[in-house]
Amino acid sequence: MNDDLEARYLAYLAVLNERRLDDLVHLVHERLTYNDEEITGRGYRDMIAADIAAVPDLVFDPHLVVVSGDRVACRLVFRCTPTDTFLGFTPDGEPVSFAEHVFYRFDEGRIAAVTSLIDRWSIAAQLRDRARPSR
C-alpha cells in the first residue's frame, strides 16, 4: 500500500514538473483543503499554474518522502528564478533556493488535503542580502 501511494505521489510531482496541470483532475479531489481552507480542484490547479507562471523554471524536487497509511509527507527543495511576484516577493532576477514541507492526505487514491509550510524566511533573507550595498 505504501509503495502504491508513494508511486501515486511521485506521479503527481511528475504532472507538476511536466506542466500537465489538466491531469490533476485524476490526482486531486474536486473539493479539498489547502492549509485548512476548502478549495476546489480547479482552484488548486490555478494556484499551481500561477506559481509556474511567476517562476517558469519551478521544479518540484522531492528530497524526502515518507508514507504512512493515507498520508504522505515530503520535503521539496526548489532552486529557481522567479520572473514575477512570487509568494509575495518581488524578484530581483537572481535564483533563490528554499524548501517546502508539505503533508498530504489521500482519499481513494487522490489528494484530499494539503498542509504546506514554505520557508519564506529563506527567500526573504536571500533577497535582503543581495539588496545590501557592497562595501
Side-chain angles (χ1 to χ4, degrees), residues 54-68:
V55 188
D57 66 346
L58 191 67
V59 174
F60 296 77
D61 185 8
H63 280 231
L64 175 66
V65 177
V66 178
V67 178
S68 178

Side-chain angles (χ1 to χ4, degrees), residues 7-91:
R8 186 91 175 149
Y9 177 68
L10 294 175
Y12 159 78
L13 293 180
V15 162
L16 300 181
N17 287 332
E18 294 166 11
R19 309 305 193 239
R20 296 182 291 117
L21 300 186
D22 288 339
D23 290 347
L24 286 175
V25 69
H26 305 295
L27 299 165
V28 176
H29 276 276
E30 178 51 38
R31 300 205 69 71
L32 67 148
T33 59
Y34 180 81
N35 288 345
D36 296 325
E37 298 288 327
E38 189 170 311
I39 61 172
T40 65
R42 181 62 181 196
Y44 185 71
R45 180 208 176 282
D46 291 349
M47 179 179 63
I48 293 169
D51 288 345
I52 290 169
V55 188
D57 66 346
L58 191 67
V59 174
F60 296 77
D61 185 8
H63 280 231
L64 175 66
V65 177
V66 178
V67 178
S68 178
D70 64 351
R71 311 285 172 145
V72 173
C74 185
R75 174 182 168 83
L76 294 166
V77 174
F78 300 92
R79 291 176 190 85
C80 55
T81 306
T83 59
D84 202 350
T85 301
F86 177 62
L87 299 172
F89 297 102
T90 302

Side-chain angles (χ1 to χ4, degrees), residues 101-130:
H101 297 94
V102 62
F103 305 88
Y104 303 85
R105 182 177 56 79
F106 282 73
D107 181 32
E108 298 177 354
R110 294 190 297 163
I111 296 169
V114 180
T115 302
S116 167
L117 177 61
I118 297 173
D119 184 6
R120 293 172 191 255
W121 182 90
S122 179
I123 298 169
Q126 290 168 69
L127 294 172
R128 182 182 58 246
D129 289 348
R130 291 196 296 245

